[in-house]
Amino acid sequence: MARCHVAKFTDDELGMKRGITRRDLLNGMLVGGGAAALTALPGGAAHASSGHGGGSAYPPSSNGVVGQTDAARTVGHNVTFGGADTGPARDLREHYDLVVVGGGVSGLAAAYFYRKTFGSRARVLVLEALADFGGHQHRNEFRVQGRTLLSNGGMVNLDSPDTWNSPSLNLMEDLGIDFAKLAEGVDTGYYTSKGLGTGYFFPEESFGADRLVTRGATEALSALIARLPLSETARADILKVENTTEDYFPGLSDADKKQRLARISYADYLRRHVGVGEEALVFYQRRTHGLWGTGIEAVPAGDCWGTGLPGFKGLGLEPTPYNGIGRTPAMSLTTTDEELYYFPDGGATVSRLLVSRLVPGVFSGRQTVESIITAGADYGRLDRSGADVRIRLNAMATDVRHRRGTRGPVDVSYVSGGKAYRVSGSHVVMACWNSVASYIVPGLPAAQVEAMRYGVKVPLVYARVALRDWRAWERAGISRVTPYDTFWDSCSLATPTHQGGYESARRSDQPIVVTLSKTPNQPGLPITRDQHRAGRRQLLETSFSDYEREIRDLMQRALGPSGFRASKDIMAITVNRWSHGYAYEYNSIADPVIFKPVAEQPFVRARRPFGNITIANSDAGAFGYTHAAVDEAARAVKELT
Ligand SMILES: Cc1cc2nc3c(=O)[nH]c(=O)nc-3n(C[C@H](O)[C@H](O)[C@H](O)COP(=O)(O)OP(=O)(O)OC[C@H]3O[C@@H](n4cnc5c(N)ncnc54)[C@H](O)[C@@H]3O)c2cc1C
């Protein structure tokens, strides 16, 4: 279990036993029959949270733990590693031109590109293990006091499109996505304009009493640092990191400095070169969680410089990538685009648009970028016999093999509802994760299997909490809480969006979504991939009640003095659990192979076509972004021509 402290309040005081979902369903407060505009299936969401899986005929409105649930994981692991008897696969006598394994954006884009390449009469089946399409592009919906609240359950931002390749840019154009318009709908400056800043929460367990130190929206960082409940030395260290103009590598060229930074961690750079003590390092420890899932002791200093973390001003580095830099910092250095591009449901709208183009009828009529945001979806129409494209949810592929050698049709077995089935395809695109593909495609060359298992996906948890209002936040003068060394990495009011007739809360007496994130890991394990494995174990051992208690406890302690009452103010909780989150991105400390030519790196060996089976997914680019997932889909389809 990954808890960092014991909850200060009792479960009763936190409202743990309040049974929000059932009670609120009775009151019609969550999405349900009352949300017919959004759920084309009447009453489709009327399933109470069980805390696990939260099954629903309309998955975006499921509460409890969603995302990669135990149910989906167990099927895959049991069938692949033994222990499950699903009987012989029943041959459904369904043959498709293309079978796609994995219904994330990469799989959906592969289906879309295939039909563009092979013609719109091509028949395609997409198999998806989870209860929803879109993979990490997952949408959360709540309904509170008559308002629908949307949020991203996973992927949020279409990052730096000025660095994208043509397949991703062309797909966005085909879908009608106008980046400039998208950015207009994200009101990044809203809370600052209301004078709301950030609160740093220091827990009683380490600081003797709970303290929320707030920084006003326009207040200088130095003023905040002066108030932090840390030793004078630690405060001076933090000030130094933020303001230093010293060149710690005098006499070295730009290239040599960058190579030095590539070979030490950010923690070591701060410790050894900037001279920061251990107490101040804690202040920075989680700064790298959001991008890489590990702390500063596991991320190269060069990658931190590339993404704008403090402490490097005096080195006078040219803002250009270098051999060994990670792909995310390389993107940060290359882009000149500072905008955020997301929908009220993050990037889930991209998957919804793809589905609307692939399977007419799931969304009524021809959907535009604007109309689809509040459009209902009929999940019952995703997999209709006779349709050219079918998307089969809750279907975990377990065996993908050519009928003969590495030519001709490919048989694909999958498990659904505890039973095994078989279909076939002239072509197959594996748009699931590389590690999965390595187990379920027998006959792959050993070197390719090894390459596919090299990366370890980053585990992440995004919790979404529907509040009936955010007056306590306004009274506290903040829109976000940064907890200091506790369970959650961050906790914020969702950034307001207005798009396609959807408006998030602008007034503090209106319901709102709070977003919390956690990237479990085990600091100190020398190999980043082992940290992700350890983090995944923690994530899987943490129950919904544990997450819920940590959510309520943090918010009560940080905002209680401003009038927040967890037992009354929290209306619903959805925990999006991504045990297999971001694609693994190589870094220059853990992966010396990053210094080799790209063609020699494992992810390139891993994506070689195998007969009529090709490999998509963001793992195939070792780059956890939507544009990588889409570009890899385009390549995988091209390889089939
Ligand atoms: C919390 C989070 C936040 C993110 N934020 C951003 C962001 O802001 N911007 C950005 O660009 N990217 C972000 N990403 C990265 C994200 O991974 C990509 O943007 C993209 O959505 C990945 O798509 P994919 O199709 O490659 O993988 P996935 O979304 O993982 O899709 C693969 C699908 O395959 C399915 N599958 C696996 N095995 C099987 C099987 N055997 N049979 C059938 N189906 C199977 C899985 O269930 C999954 O749905 C984020 C990721 C996470 C987890």
Side-chain angles (χ1 to χ4, degrees):
M1 231 295 283
R3 290 191 54 197
C4 295
H5 64 277
V6 176
K8 188 171 165 181
F9 296 91
T10 65
D11 283 3
D12 271 346
E13 286 167 327
L14 292 174
M16 287 285 292
K17 295 179 184 158
R18 189 176 151 240
I20 15 171
T21 317
R22 279 182 198 91
R23 203 202 71 173
D24 294 337
L25 275 169
L26 286 174
N27 292 345
M29 289 180 123
L30 296 183
V31 176
L38 281 163
T39 58
L41 298 177
H47 285 253
S49 162
S50 62
H52 264 272
S56 168
Y58 184 64
S61 67
S62 292
N63 302 130
V65 172
V66 305
Q68 291 150 5
T69 56
D70 285 341
R73 183 175 178 275
T74 307
V75 174
H77 279 240
N78 285 358
V79 174
T80 310
F81 302 116
D85 182 10
T86 51
R90 196 176 119 212
D91 188 351
L92 294 179
R93 299 188 186 285
E94 290 176 13
H95 182 80
Y96 298 89
D97 298 300
L98 173 70
V99 177
V100 180
V101 177
V105 68
S106 195
L108 298 173
Y112 182 84
F113 291 139
Y114 190 88
R115 282 161 57 81
K116 271 198 112 173
T117 308
F118 290 88
S120 58
R121 298 184 67 182
R123 297 194 64 238
V124 179
L125 174 69
V126 178
L127 295 173
E128 168 53 52
L130 301 181
D132 203 352
F133 55 79
H136 297 154
Q137 291 192 340
H138 183 63
R139 167 175 169 119
N140 289 162
E141 284 185 23
F142 302 93
R143 194 159 176 89
V144 180
Q145 291 169 350
R147 284 182 81 96
T148 295
L149 308 179
L150 299 179
S151 176
N152 65 306
M155 181 259 163
V156 54
N157 183 40
L158 296 169
D159 216 311
S160 312
D162 62 339
T163 65
W164 291 15
N165 296 317
S166 51
S168 309
L169 288 172
N170 293 343
L171 179 66
M172 298 302 140
E173 197 177 329
D174 280 10
L175 296 177
I177 293 174
D178 173 339
F179 284 104
K181 256 176 125 175
L182 198 52
E184 274 171 28
V186 186
D187 203 346
T188 41
Y190 180 72
Y191 295 121
T192 309
S193 74
K194 289 199 58 128
L196 301 184
T198 300
Y200 293 81
F201 176 69
F202 295 85
E204 178 185 304
E205 292 85 336
S206 315
F207 294 88
D210 286 344
R211 281 193 64 182
L212 184 74
V213 181
T214 58
R215 178 186 181 194
T218 52
E219 196 181 8
L221 184 61
S222 52
L224 165 81
I225 294 170
R227 292 199 303 277
L228 295 177
L230 303 175
S231 72
E232 209 171 302
T233 312
R235 288 201 302 266
D237 283 351
I238 294 170
L239 211 51
K240 188 170 174 193
V241 174
E242 300 294 332
N243 295 330
T244 178
T245 52
E246 193 175 336
D247 183 352
Y248 299 104
F249 302 134
L252 290 191
S253 67
D254 184 68
D256 287 345
K257 284 178 183 174
K258 287 171 175 167
Q259 288 306 314
R260 288 281 287 274
L261 294 177
R263 285 165 176 82
I264 49 169
S265 69
Y266 187 42
D268 276 345
Y269 173 75
L270 293 180
R271 192 184 280 123
R272 287 200 228 143
H273 297 285
V274 185
V276 174
E278 297 306 310
E279 191 185 351
L281 284 181
V282 180
F283 188 74
Y284 292 99
Q285 175 61 22
R286 297 186 186 195
R287 288 284 179 92
T288 45
H289 276 199
L291 284 179
W292 294 283
T294 50
I296 58 171
E297 88 294 348
V299 180
D303 287 359
C304 292
W305 162 74
T307 48
L309 288 184
F312 302 99
K313 245 179 274 167
L315 300 188
L317 297 171
E318 287 295 320
T320 49
Y322 54 87
N323 185 27
I325 196 167
R327 290 198 67 181
T328 292
M331 178 170 73
S332 299
L333 288 169
T334 316
T335 185
T336 55
D337 191 343
E338 300 282 310
E339 294 287 357
L340 291 178
Y341 300 105
Y342 58 84
F343 297 91
D345 60 7
T349 289
V350 176
S351 285
R352 283 161 62 91
L353 282 167
L354 274 166
V355 169
S356 78
R357 303 296 186 264
L358 290 167
V359 197
V362 173
F363 297 90
S364 54
R366 170 116 187 138
Q367 293 292 336
T368 64
V369 171
E370 281 77 31
S371 66
I372 204 163
I373 291 167
T374 51
D378 183 349
Y379 276 63
R381 296 173 82 96
L382 285 169
D383 186 13
R384 274 179 311 152
S385 108
D388 287 334
V389 181
R390 303 175 70 170
I391 299 176
R392 196 159 293 168
L393 301 176
N394 299 303
M396 170 78 76
T398 52
D399 190 277
V400 180
R401 63 176 76 207
H402 292 91
R403 209 166 284 160
R404 262 175 242 100
T406 52
R407 301 170 66 140
V410 182
D411 286 326
V412 181
S413 302
Y414 67 90
V415 172
S416 186
K419 296 203 171 69
Y421 303 92
R422 190 167 65 245
V423 295
S424 61
S426 303
H427 293 136
V428 170
V429 169
M430 302 297 290
C432 56
W433 315 312
N434 270 357
S435 58
V436 170
S438 81
Y439 286 102
I440 67 176
V441 183
L444 283 171
Q448 186 166 2
V449 168
E450 191 189 351
M452 282 177 150
R453 293 182 192 168
Y454 179 84
V456 176
K457 289 180 91 75
V458 178
L460 294 119
V461 180
Y462 277 13
R464 300 297 182 246
V465 180
L467 296 186
R468 78 178 166 179
D469 64 60
W470 46 286
R471 283 186 265 234
W473 294 71
E474 194 174 47
R475 278 194 288 270
I478 55 171
S479 65
R480 63 168 52 232
V481 174
T482 300
Y484 191 85
D485 202 21
T486 62
F487 185 86
W488 294 104
D489 293 346
S490 68
C491 172
S492 321
L493 296 177
T495 302
T497 49
H498 60 278
Q499 275 155 20
Y502 177 82
E503 277 278 345
S504 26
R506 302 280 157 154
R507 292 201 329 254
S508 63
D509 60 351
Q510 293 172 327
I512 199 166
V513 175
V514 169
T515 66
L516 297 100
S517 74
K518 176 174 182 63
T519 39
N521 55 43
Q522 191 168 324
L525 283 184
I527 298 178
T528 315
R529 287 165 284 141
D530 287 341
Q531 288 216 26
H532 298 327
R533 287 191 186 95
R536 181 170 310 137
R537 281 194 294 276
Q538 291 170 27
L539 174 150
L540 294 170
E541 285 165 10
T542 308
S543 69
F544 177 73
S545 322
D546 295 326
Y547 287 120
E548 181 181 8
R549 190 174 293 107
E550 293 289 354
I551 289 167
R552 291 174 179 276
D553 186 61
L554 171 64
M555 291 174 69
Q556 186 58 49
R557 290 167 66 175
L559 292 156
S562 305
F564 183 82
R565 280 180 303 165
S567 59
K568 295 249 168 16
D569 292 343
I570 293 179
M571 308 310 290
I573 297 175
T574 299
V575 175
N576 298 274
R577 191 179 80 168
W578 305 109
S579 48
H580 296 76
Y582 304 157
Y584 182 73
E585 189 177 299
Y586 298 175
N587 81 64
S588 53
I589 301 176
D591 310 289
V593 73
I594 198 174
F595 292 102
K596 293 194 171 174
V598 170
E600 293 174 32
Q601 299 190 16
F603 71 94
V604 178
R605 289 204 304 277
R607 68 187 184 202
R608 284 188 188 141
F610 181 60
N612 285 325
I613 304 171
T614 57
I615 315 290
N617 193 268
S618 45
D619 284 354
F623 197 31
Y625 292 87
T626 287
H627 53 292
V630 171
D631 289 350
E632 295 305 328
R635 177 200 39 76
V637 168
K638 197 164 170 216
E639 286 168 352
L640 294 170
T641 53

